[in-house]
Amino acid sequence: MIDDIARLPTADLAADVCVVGAGPAGITLALELARRRPDWRVLLLEGGGRSTPDERELELYRAEVGPQRYAIEASRRRMLGGTSGHWGGWCKPFDATDFEVPSAWSTPGWPFGPETIAPYLDAAHRWLEIPATDYDVAALSQRHPGACLALPDDAAVAQRLFRFSPPTRFGTRYEDDLHRQSNLTCLLHANLVALRREGDRIVSATVKPLDGATRTVRATQFVLALGGLETTRHLLNLRGAGSDDGVGLHSPHLGRGFADHYGVRPGLLLAPAGLRYGRFGDDGVPVMPVLAPHADRIRDGSFQNVCMMLDPQPKPEPLLARYGGQRALGFSPGEYWHYAVQAIVEPRPHEDSRVTLVDERCALGLRRLRLDWHLHESDIASALAFFDETGRTLARLGLGRSRRTVQDSPALRAGVLGANHHLGTVRFARDERDGVADPHGRIFDLSNLHVASSALFPRHGYSNPTLTLVALSVRMAERLAGQTAGETA
Ligand SMILES: Cc1cc2nc3c(=O)[nH]c(=O)nc-3n(C[C@H](O)[C@H](O)[C@H](O)COP(=O)(O)OP(=O)(O)OC[C@H]3O[C@@H](n4cnc5c(N)ncnc54)[C@H](O)[C@@H]3O)c2cc1C
């Protein structure tokens, strides 16, 4: 059932599991949980309504930002379905190397490997309405001769694949499912404003519409699925003025390590005509091959992860002319094109990149966020180095050349704009000294407060986060559902 909290009597509410936030993570988790446990009552609280947020709702997200610019308000959506209301649908599982940590890095990596997520990827593809689950560029190349480069296995440059969700708008796509699920109640305009803690447990949540009475929600398990910034904001508000030298809520890592993916355009590649390192239809199903460093070259420290898309340019002559005597080099204009390159950079976690609370409060009484986003010096430099290496690889193979059109510079860094992926500020870890939450997303010093968000992710590669987030939400549902009734009711 879906209802508006303002229409309900002001009595307290009770559930076995209370999930707060109805974006992709919250809706997946709540429905998976309710289907697995028909004997449980699942409550899904959503601060927004069915339609686009009004001015007062938008105002709740106003935050301070600096020194790096960031579109912090526009990067999330407060409504049923959350930010899936305007996401782009790019999907790809993280690469195996994203689960490893370079020895030069001081931050810890994922608390498990890709094999922990793999069992939940098929379900995540179904939730995101992606009809195929393989990411095999070799098979794609056979179906589309000439679309991808023929690169030797030991080349520094490898190829990977993105797939696309339609994109699924979780609010409209799963509204009927939420209505029909008899043991699930989804309440709209139910803004979480406080959590009450007793010892190592959260005993209740305080919820209210922007205009209206406050309700108390009691549940055995609570899950925050408020997105990668609001989840952190609530945890920081819950910590209050307490110290930040402990574990869990008091972890020094809470709010630190904020990261987002971003793009740079390093230059032009001269390469065989007809390459398709951009989005196209594979028998009607959208795909996008990309160029990326070979795993061995990430492991040996040559590059951070990065991917490159190629945009064919209408006039190939300037680059060809630069390599003088086109025909002499074999790069005749009909057979070789030049392509503008867009690279998506892997953001290395930066401990000073963080969200904190300022004193000003929003209409719900919560202290507002401040985002200080910092980039590591190595991030863009590594992406540019990989672009250069791609040019050298093409030259060695007689397949082309590269030309840089930008150099790494403070101006380039200042112009960076994020991709709206909110990563890293509640990172999970095996050891409570290394993160805020355990490998299942449970806050370390609380036995019943969990987080379902890309804020858990400790290393980010270049892959968009939602596919992995939805897979982890299915995993969390399986784990919570596996607990005995005595642990919840
Ligand atoms: C323009 C844009 C393009 C994007 N493109 C892609 C893409 O191509 N691929 C990709 O993987 N990702 C993309 N993303 C990111 C993607 O949208 C997020 O990863 C995803 O929505 C995160 O899901 P979530 O459930 O964690 O958070 P959200 O979708 O943000 O949902 C959080 C929910 O919590 C609710 N909420 C917040 N505060 C409260 C409160 N106090 N009480 C109750 N409820 C509350 C919100 O209203 C919202 O419904 C894009 C994002 C943007 C902005």
Side-chain angles (χ1 to χ4, degrees), residues 20-27 45-48 61 74-91 164 190-193 225-228 230-231 234 364 366 419-422 452-454 463-467 469:
V20 196
I27 288 179
L45 302 173
E46 167 53 43
Y61 281 165
S75 68
R76 52 238 163 100
R77 206 152 172 83
R78 200 177 183 97
M79 62 185 290
L80 183 66
T83 313
S84 74
H86 62 181
W87 77 310
W90 295 32
C91 289
F164 295 87
N191 298 288
L192 175 70
V193 294
L226 301 158
E230 290 305 298
T231 297
H234 275 273
L364 295 171
L366 289 163
N420 308 301
H421 307 155
H422 303 148
S453 169
S454 56
S463 301
N464 302 53
T466 310
L467 178 69
L469 169 60

Side-chain angles (χ1 to χ4, degrees), residues 159-177:
Q159 311 184 77
R160 313 258 178 252
L161 194 71
F162 278 83
R163 291 192 175 276
F164 295 87
S165 168
T168 304
R169 310 282 177 218
F170 272 66
T172 46
R173 172 64 183 82
Y174 295 112
E175 185 172 347
D176 282 351
D177 296 65

Side-chain angles (χ1 to χ4, degrees), residues 69-190:
R69 67 187 179 135
Y70 198 85
I72 194 165
E73 284 104 19
S75 68
R76 52 238 163 100
R77 206 152 172 83
R78 200 177 183 97
M79 62 185 290
L80 183 66
T83 313
S84 74
H86 62 181
W87 77 310
W90 295 32
C91 289
K92 185 185 158 300
F94 279 46
D95 294 330
T97 49
D98 297 333
F99 295 88
E100 302 163 11
V101 186
S103 54
W105 291 20
S106 54
T107 48
W110 286 71
F112 44 72
E115 67 287 349
T116 299
I117 297 175
Y120 307 98
L121 281 175
D122 281 357
H125 283 81
R126 283 194 295 279
W127 279 103
L128 296 171
E129 302 176 285
I130 305 169
T133 57
D134 77 280
Y135 288 80
D136 183 357
V137 179
L140 182 81
S141 299
Q142 285 185 352
R143 294 194 294 276
H144 300 274
C148 298
L149 291 161
L151 295 168
D153 288 347
D154 61 351
V157 184
Q159 311 184 77
R160 313 258 178 252
L161 194 71
F162 278 83
R163 291 192 175 276
F164 295 87
S165 168
T168 304
R169 310 282 177 218
F170 272 66
T172 46
R173 172 64 183 82
Y174 295 112
E175 185 172 347
D176 282 351
D177 296 65
L178 292 170
H179 262 302
R180 278 199 303 267
Q181 190 65 40
S182 60
N183 62 334
L184 184 155
T185 304
C186 173
L187 293 179
L188 303 177
H189 299 120

Side-chain angles (χ1 to χ4, degrees), residues 297-377:
R297 302 303 299 273
I298 295 175
R299 292 188 176 116
D300 72 12
S302 303
F303 308 106
Q304 290 175 212
N305 211 352
V306 58
C307 77
M308 298 197 313
M309 296 160 282
L310 307 188
D311 181 16
Q313 300 298 290
K315 290 185 182 162
E317 291 77 12
L319 194 62
L320 288 168
R322 191 179 159 84
Y323 291 104
Q326 303 160 8
R327 290 192 187 285
L329 281 170
F331 298 136
S332 62
E335 294 161 15
Y336 283 80
W337 292 353
H338 80 230
Y339 301 83
V341 173
Q342 174 159 24
I344 302 177
V345 176
E346 171 173 27
R348 176 176 167 186
H350 194 306
E351 286 291 279
D352 293 337
S353 192
R354 62 187 300 201
V355 292
T356 49
L357 298 178
V358 298
D359 289 337
E360 186 188 334
R361 291 174 189 266
C362 71
L364 295 171
L366 289 163
R367 289 172 66 194
R368 292 190 187 277
L369 280 184
R370 174 179 169 80
L371 169 62
D372 288 283
W373 185 26
H374 295 269
L375 312 177
H376 264 288
E377 284 294 317

